[in-house]
Amino acid sequence: MKKIITILLILFTLTTFGQDKELFDFINQYRVVNNRKSLKWSNKLVKISIRQNNKNIKTNSLSHSTYNSYENCLRGYGVANTLVKEKEFHNFTKKYFKYTYIVGDNLNKGQLNTLTKMYMIYIWHTSPGHRKNMLRNNVKFCSAESSIGDDYKFVNGVFKFGDKTYKYKTVSSHYEILYYATMNIK
């Protein structure tokens, strides 16, 4: 019963962005900076991406489809939640997307969704197998799907004690938000 309630809560709190063109565009930007050709959108592959992403949401897993394509899947909770990741992610967004951000509690949901999608690419970038998939030369088509929760929370990486402000040694200011993503390339 507890598992069913958890699954239902996840399904009710997630917003699905079918045919995620923004994530697809970020994949292509990443490829171009790495001297790879842009990929074309595939309606055939997007059906696989949507189905697999929804399956991972429903089962709270990271399983891969059996379709004949290269596939990256992702489940995460939090955007750049350590000081090391925050610094690396800042450099990553500048290099690949010409995007600079200041982590603060002032991001609206749309801005947070965009930042989260960039973070999805960053997470795949840090994994050798997923990075290899995104940078394959022998592919022409791509699709992407993401689901980003509506509930999010800003976590401040500083705290006050009396009149002094202290910064946590390992925890950065970040957003906690549940997300899933699936990318298929062929």
Side-chain angles (χ1 to χ4, degrees):
M1 184 67 168
K2 195 175 190 181
K3 191 173 187 177
I4 292 171
I5 291 171
T6 301
I7 291 170
L8 289 174
L9 284 173
I10 289 170
L11 291 173
F12 287 129
T13 60
L14 289 174
T15 303
T16 300
F17 299 92
Q19 301 182 11
D20 194 334
K21 300 287 183 157
E22 185 177 36
L23 183 58
F24 169 77
D25 289 341
F26 287 146
I27 292 166
N28 271 332
Q29 287 176 38
Y30 177 80
R31 287 178 58 83
V32 168
V33 172
N34 283 291
N35 299 313
R36 300 296 193 275
K37 291 181 181 178
S38 292
L39 300 171
K40 296 177 184 174
W41 181 261
S42 169
N43 287 327
K44 184 177 179 182
L45 288 176
V46 80
K47 291 176 185 174
I48 306 300
S49 295
I50 290 171
R51 185 175 70 228
Q52 193 60 35
N53 208 54
N54 287 339
K55 177 183 176 189
N56 286 339
I57 292 166
K58 183 178 178 181
T59 61
N60 193 25
S61 70
L62 286 175
S63 65
H64 290 269
S65 68
T66 56
Y67 186 75
N68 188 19
S69 71
Y70 301 104
E71 184 173 78
N72 287 357
C73 294
L74 176 66
R75 177 192 184 276
Y77 188 77
V79 176
N81 56 358
T82 69
L83 292 173
V84 172
K85 282 184 185 176
E86 179 184 28
K87 183 178 179 182
E88 290 174 358
F89 184 52
H90 274 279
N91 293 335
F92 182 83
T93 59
K94 284 180 195 175
K95 177 179 179 178
Y96 289 100
F97 309 118
K98 295 180 176 42
Y99 182 84
T100 303
Y101 72 96
I102 298 171
V103 178
D105 61 358
N106 59 342
L107 293 181
N108 66 39
K109 182 66 168 116
Q111 293 167 321
L112 182 56
N113 283 350
T114 296
L115 190 65
T116 302
K117 291 175 189 184
M118 289 181 199
Y119 195 66
M120 292 170 180
I121 302 299
Y122 167 76
I123 294 297
W124 285 333
H125 165 83
T126 62
S127 163
H130 293 102
R131 178 183 166 94
K132 182 179 178 181
N133 281 346
M134 286 194 299
L135 296 177
R136 289 188 180 276
N137 280 319
N138 61 338
V139 293
K140 294 181 182 177
F141 301 100
C142 180
S143 68
E145 172 66 355
S146 71
S147 300
I148 302 172
D150 283 328
D151 295 330
Y152 59 93
K153 178 175 109 177
F154 178 72
V155 177
N156 198 338
V158 298
F159 65 96
K160 289 188 176 189
F161 187 75
D163 292 339
K164 291 190 176 188
T165 300
Y166 299 92
K167 188 170 180 117
Y168 289 106
K169 290 186 179 190
T170 58
V171 177
S172 68
S173 295
H174 66 280
Y175 283 88
E176 291 180 350
I177 187 164
L178 178 63
Y179 53 86
Y180 293 84
T182 302
M183 173 206 77
N184 291 85
I185 294 180
K186 186 170 185 175

